[in-house]
Every structure is written in structure tokens, then in C-alpha cells.
């Protein structure tokens, strides 16, 4: 999971993942188009994303196509984010408010 967090930490890599989410199966040439970074930089970012399992490749002839793999992101969601889901957090907020209010009532003569 450390590789996934490291890969997601960079805004350029998140942009590449966003582009793959919008249109999966893009070549390096397609991914570089419209970006202000070099082809070599995009290739390095893609390699790191592949290493983290966030991008999988498929060769179509001589063209290397890149596809988003959402499974590692879902695993992060299940392990780290879901425990802070709205119902749970709201229950804690409500409990804290109720405790504060009952504490204030106990301070009155």
C-alpha cells in the first residue's frame, strides 16, 4: 500500500489517473498530449503507477496502452477511508455535542 500512497501523492500522476478514468486504454502519446511535461517525465510517472498496480498495460501491436486499475484505490478506501464515512463521523459529532450539552447542564447550580 505504500507504493500506492506514494504514487497518489504526486499531482501529475493523479492527473494521469484522471485522464485514464475519463478514457481508458491510452497510449503514451495520447497521455502526453496537452500536458506541460515531457514525454520522458510522463513515462516515468506511468512506470511508477504501473509499479504501484494503479495502471496496467496491454500491448496492441507496437503500441503500449495504459488502463486504470481501480482495485488498489478501492483497497485504500476500504482500509482507510470507509472508517470515516459520514454515518460514523456524524454519530461521533452527535455524541460529542450531547456530551458537551450534558456537561454544561451539570455545571448549573
Amino acid at each position: 500500500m505504500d507504493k500506492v500512497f506514494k504514487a497518489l501523492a504526486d499531482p501529475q500522476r493523479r492527473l494521469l489517473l484522471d485522464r485514464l478514468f475519463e478514457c481508458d486504454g491510452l497510449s503514451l502519446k495520447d497521455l502526453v498530449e496537452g500536458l506541460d511535461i515531457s514525454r520522458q517525465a510522463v513515462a516515468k510517472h506511468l512506470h511508477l503507477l504501473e509499479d504501484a498496480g494503479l495502471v496496467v498495460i496491454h500491448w496492441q501491436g507496437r503500441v503500449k496502452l495504459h488502463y486504470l486499475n481501480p482495485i488498489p484505490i478501492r483497497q485504500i478506501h476500504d482500509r482507510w477511508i470507509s472508517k470515516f464515512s459520514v454515518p460514523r463521523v456524524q454519530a461521533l459529532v452527535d455524541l460529542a455535542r450531547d456530551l458537551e450539552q450534558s456537561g454544561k447542564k451539570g455545571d448549573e447550580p
Side-chain angles (χ1 to χ4, degrees):
M1 221 176 253
D2 289 341
K3 288 182 179 183
V4 176
F5 278 113
K6 180 181 178 182
L8 292 173
D10 185 274
Q12 295 294 335
R13 289 191 285 270
R14 290 192 307 267
L15 176 62
L16 292 172
L17 291 174
D18 286 340
R19 293 184 89 178
L20 289 173
F21 179 78
E22 292 170 8
C23 183
D24 223 3
L26 297 175
S27 67
L28 177 60
K29 179 183 175 187
D30 295 332
L31 285 164
V32 169
E33 192 173 304
L35 296 180
D36 290 335
I37 59 175
S38 70
R39 182 180 177 98
Q40 292 79 11
V42 171
K44 287 181 182 182
H45 285 307
L46 286 171
H47 179 73
L48 205 142
L49 291 168
E50 288 175 41
D51 192 42
L54 291 164
V55 170
V56 293
I57 60 164
H58 175 73
W59 286 94
Q60 189 173 24
R62 294 174 50 194
V63 178
K64 183 179 182 182
L65 299 177
H66 301 84
Y67 293 88
L68 176 65
N69 178 18
I71 293 171
I73 295 171
R74 180 58 193 226
Q75 290 171 329
I76 286 174
H77 172 269
D78 292 348
R79 171 67 176 92
W80 296 101
I81 298 170
S82 65
K83 63 176 130 182
F84 301 107
S85 66
V86 173
R88 291 179 183 172
V89 172
Q90 188 60 51
L92 292 173
V93 168
D94 293 344
L95 177 62
R97 185 191 63 237
D98 293 346
L99 290 172
E100 287 175 4
Q101 289 175 353
S102 67
K104 289 177 184 177
K105 290 178 186 176
D107 292 339
E108 297 173 2

